[in-house]
Amino acid sequence: MHELKLTAREVEALICKAFPDADPERMPRVDEATPGRLRMVGPAGSSMLRPGGVISGPALMSLADTAAYAIVLAHVGEKLMAVTSTLTIHFLRGAKPGDLVADASLLRLGARSAVCDVRLWTESPDDLAAQATVAYTLPAG
């Protein structure tokens, strides 16, 4: 099991520092970070909804990618140039309006890449809205 290099608060602060123009009210928060796992919550907003009253696919993909970035940073430290190399998402059911939760698990962490599983929901972890596999390329050194 990999050790954490940053706490939940440190990861959150680092992401805010990396994206200084982002609206702080709309930034997801890191609720918990433990070895190999991270939970992030994206605040609900009407701009996230698509016709039919469910959270849009791009909003789900954005939180999946952000949660994967956060778990990678939690385990590798301040390597802000880690970049998404692949993101595959499966939409399982409509995500009803509400705060969007992402549970990220670190599947593999190597010297140059990381692979994460991210599960997303609004109502219950038993009623997943989507599941994503996200790979990151890590900077050398």
Side-chain angles (χ1 to χ4, degrees), residues 93-106:
R93 68 174 41 86
K96 293 184 179 176
D99 287 348
L100 185 58
V101 180
D103 255 343
S105 300
L106 196 57

Side-chain angles (χ1 to χ4, degrees), residues 25-136:
E25 296 295 316
R26 298 183 67 194
M27 289 291 287
R29 67 182 184 276
V30 179
D31 274 2
E32 179 182 0
T34 59
R37 298 190 67 82
L38 182 134
R39 178 170 287 179
M40 179 171 262
V41 178
S46 60
S47 65
M48 296 170 50
L49 299 180
R50 65 174 306 274
V54 295
I55 296 175
S56 71
L60 293 165
M61 287 185 283
S62 177
L63 186 61
D65 190 36
T66 304
Y69 187 52
I71 195 171
V72 168
L73 292 177
H75 288 82
V76 301
E78 294 192 30
K79 293 187 179 182
L80 294 175
M81 291 308 297
V83 295
T84 308
S85 55
T86 62
L87 188 153
T88 303
I89 192 163
H90 300 276
F91 299 104
L92 305 172
R93 68 174 41 86
K96 293 184 179 176
D99 287 348
L100 185 58
V101 180
D103 255 343
S105 300
L106 196 57
L107 300 177
R108 178 186 185 282
L109 178 60
R112 295 300 311 265
S113 67
V115 179
C116 310
D117 174 70
V118 183
R119 294 164 188 252
L120 302 137
W121 75 88
T122 56
E123 297 177 280
S124 162
D126 295 327
D127 293 320
L128 294 180
Q131 181 277 329
T133 303
V134 187
Y136 265 77

